[in-house]
Amino acid sequence: MLPISSNAPKKFFRSLILICILHFSLFSNGQTAVSTVYGDNGGFYTSTTAVPVTYDDSNNLLGFTVDGATYSTGVNDATLTANNITYTTGNFVSFPMPASIDYKPEELIGIGTNWGGVSQNNNATDYIKTFNPIVPSHFVRDGSNGLELATNFFNIESQVIIYDAIVINQAVSINDAMPDIIVTQTGDPGNTDKFKFIDSAGVIVGSEINVTFGNVAIVGGTDWTIYRVNPATGTVSNTFGINTYRDLRVLSINLSDFGITTSNFNQVTNFVHTTSGSTDIAFTAYNYDAIKILLPATDLEVSNSMISADDFCAPTTATFTTTITNKSATELSKDFEVDFTIPVGMTATSNSAVFSEAGVSPLSASFNNTNNTWTIDNLSVGESVTLTVNTSVSTASFPISFTATATGLFQPDSDPSNNTQTISEAGEDNDCDGVKDTDDLDDDNDGILDSDEGTGDFDGDGIANYLDLDSDGD
């Protein structure tokens, strides 16, 4: 046996103390593992650290339990009540990770492998392919309030993501029991993510928190289809795995855990997330009653809407176009949606977005053909984007109508009156009688000559009398 140094016990205890200090620094800062999650998968979903339950379809987070207390997220409190869950009412929203983050040449996006009750096998109809282009960061902010557990972004590139215009809403939120930040981990635990609040000079307010999931109890699980996505084109190149399982872990953090106090909370201007390179999240969310994103007002204008068709009287294809302009003199327009309301019987087949500003990322505008909605990352002062959607037509009303509406997700609009534009188009033969309007003496075929009806709008419905079958609105 080798002789034992008389200093060995001292070294051992010093090492033991160091280990304890490191452990304390990681887990004594108030991060608390969520022990139960409630979702809307299958109508109502419950999973606990004692009995984790796997899901494979859409599952918006309805509520969660931490330290023995249950809180709702505000997504659907009625479902919690109907299932006899006692809870404190909450209101949680995901942080809006921008489209313009740093991407690797290939990214991994997870979708519940049975999304919508349909196997996601990299077919043309897979849910992920309803987006064009596919923006990886959108899958950590989708679903109700952005709290969808069955979509995620695996292995986010190591980087610093800064959320602007952060305001701690009220001092009473700092020391209450309600959690203020929820962090999810939907893949294998890896390196440490870091979160902090900073002031306008970039100085930390309070302290930075390190989040690690290695010792966090599993609270659920997901069967994923994991896609390989090329962020340069916004398209799926292949799959990484189909029907592959990953654990779900969730942590809650309070403002006080960040060292936010009644003395320094009003210094906060930004929230910073430093990703680790192995970050696998469904979302990171904040308590909307405690934290708000208050961007200054912008002014979005919807204009120059157009409809074209191969044949307005019996169309097989139709195209809808509108232009969105940032009319603000000073403020960037961030995170807004443009809803395309197109007639029933028309299905989007392709889309395009053309920015007036040079060098804008192609991921800055993405269209979801499930709900005919565009998501726009940002639009610089004075710049515009022209949005086009091409459709196939199975049935069509006449004339063809179209409404485009722009809505800020976090930013107020100084002039809401120009956020919507509605048009209708009948082509060159308004009454479809085979005679072009330029040669037709009765363009609406109501038996009254155009020259008698005139170009006025008697009933104020936006249709000129000579084109209006009901010009008096009765």
Side-chain angles (χ1 to χ4, degrees):
M1 179 181 292
L2 294 174
I4 299 175
S5 167
S6 61
N7 290 325
K10 295 179 181 178
K11 290 180 179 179
F12 171 78
F13 284 113
R14 282 198 297 266
S15 298
L16 182 61
I17 291 170
L18 178 60
I19 291 170
C20 290
I21 290 172
L22 288 172
H23 181 84
F24 183 82
S25 68
L26 287 173
F27 294 101
S28 67
N29 54 13
Q31 304 170 41
T32 307
V34 167
S35 59
T36 302
V37 291
Y38 301 102
D40 59 7
N41 177 258
F44 185 63
Y45 165 90
T46 303
S47 184
T48 69
T49 52
V51 184
V53 177
T54 301
Y55 55 91
D56 60 7
D57 195 356
S58 177
N59 194 16
N60 292 285
L61 183 67
L62 304 182
F64 59 94
T65 301
V66 61
D67 281 339
T70 298
Y71 304 93
S72 75
T73 61
V75 168
N76 192 337
D77 290 359
T79 296
L80 293 174
T81 300
N83 286 275
N84 301 312
I85 305 300
T86 301
Y87 59 88
T88 298
T89 301
N91 186 10
F92 287 82
V93 180
S94 66
F95 281 99
M97 187 179 289
S100 53
I101 64 170
D102 294 335
Y103 292 111
K104 292 174 284 192
E106 182 179 78
E107 298 291 2
L108 301 179
I109 302 300
I111 306 292
T113 198
N114 193 42
W115 186 275
V118 179
S119 295
Q120 305 294 290
N121 294 322
N122 198 22
N123 296 317
T125 55
D126 281 14
Y127 173 69
I128 195 171
K129 297 180 183 181
T130 65
F131 299 89
N132 183 37
I134 298 167
V135 180
S137 63
H138 282 186
F139 295 92
V140 300
R141 51 182 290 181
D142 57 339
S144 299
N145 289 6
L147 305 184
E148 175 60 72
L149 289 167
T151 62
N152 86 337
F153 186 177
F154 288 101
N155 298 333
I156 298 174
E157 181 78 13
S158 178
Q159 61 192 290
V160 176
I161 301 172
I162 300 176
Y163 299 99
D164 298 326
I166 298 295
V167 174
I168 306 298
N169 194 38
Q170 48 188 345
V172 294
S173 302
I174 295 170
N175 295 310
D176 63 6
M178 175 77 74
D180 297 302
I181 303 286
I182 306 171
V183 184
T184 59
Q185 174 72 13
T186 50
D188 297 331
N191 298 322
T192 300
D193 280 35
K194 299 178 181 180
F195 298 89
K196 62 186 176 182
F197 291 96
I198 61 174
D199 63 18
S200 58
V203 177
I204 296 176
V205 180
S207 58
E208 186 173 69
I209 282 184
N210 297 331
V211 171
T212 182
F213 282 91
N215 295 320
V216 176
I218 298 163
V219 72
T222 317
D223 287 331
W224 298 104
T225 292
I226 303 175
Y227 299 86
R228 301 179 188 271
V229 173
N230 181 346
T233 61
T235 58
V236 171
S237 57
N238 209 328
T239 56
F240 177 85
I242 296 176
N243 196 19
T244 179
Y245 174 85
R246 297 292 188 278
D247 296 323
L248 169 68
R249 296 171 171 87
V250 184
L251 282 174
S252 76
I253 312 173
N254 286 53
L255 285 171
S256 56
D257 302 327
F258 286 92
I260 301 300
T261 68
T262 55
S263 300
N264 65 15
F265 79 97
N266 56 4
Q267 300 171 23
V268 169
T269 59
N270 304 87
F271 182 68
V272 181
H273 179 186
T274 302
T275 57
S276 65
S278 57
T279 303
D280 305 320
I281 59 175
F283 56 79
T284 298
Y286 61 96
N287 174 3
Y288 187 77
D289 293 328
I291 301 168
K292 292 201 183 324
I293 298 176
L294 295 180
L295 294 165
T298 187
D299 181 14
L300 294 172
E301 178 190 66
V302 182
S303 64
N304 299 324
S305 294
M306 295 184 293
I307 306 170
S308 60
D310 56 344
D311 180 350
F312 277 95
C313 292
T316 60
T317 63
T319 298
F320 302 88
T321 301
T322 198
T323 297
I324 313 298
T325 303
N326 180 0
K327 303 290 286 186
S328 172
T330 58
E331 298 302 332
L332 178 76
S333 294
K334 299 184 66 174
D335 284 310
F336 62 93
E337 292 183 344
V338 181
D339 177 67
F340 269 35
T341 303
I342 60 180
V344 174
M346 300 189 181
T347 303
T349 56
S350 62
N351 58 272
S352 64
V354 178
F355 286 83
S356 60
E357 182 178 8
V360 175
S361 166
L363 300 186
S364 292
S366 178
F367 182 70
N368 180 354
N369 66 30
T370 300
N371 58 15
N372 293 329
T373 298
W374 290 89
T375 300
I376 313 298
D377 186 50
N378 62 74
L379 194 59
S380 298
V381 171
E383 301 294 341
S384 62
V385 58
T386 298
L387 307 172
T388 300
V389 173
N390 302 306
T391 70
S392 61
V393 182
S394 57
T395 61
S397 57
F398 186 84
I400 298 174
S401 62
F402 167 46
T403 298
T405 303
T407 305
L409 299 178
F410 300 93
Q411 196 170 17
D413 196 294
S414 60
D415 181 13
S417 67
N418 61 2
N419 292 166
T420 298
Q421 187 174 47
T422 298
I423 63 170
S424 63
E425 181 61 63
E428 297 180 341
D429 183 7
N430 184 73
D431 54 6
C432 293
D433 63 356
V435 181
K436 287 187 176 182
D437 293 338
T438 53
D439 301 320
D440 197 341
L441 298 179
D442 181 11
D443 284 347
D444 59 2
N445 205 27
D446 63 354
I448 305 173
L449 295 176
D450 294 347
S451 57
D452 293 334
E453 290 187 292
T455 58
D457 181 13
F458 185 77
D459 57 3
D461 63 356
I463 303 174
N465 294 337
Y466 77 100
L467 298 175
D468 195 344
L469 288 173
D470 182 18
S471 59
D472 61 359
D474 62 356

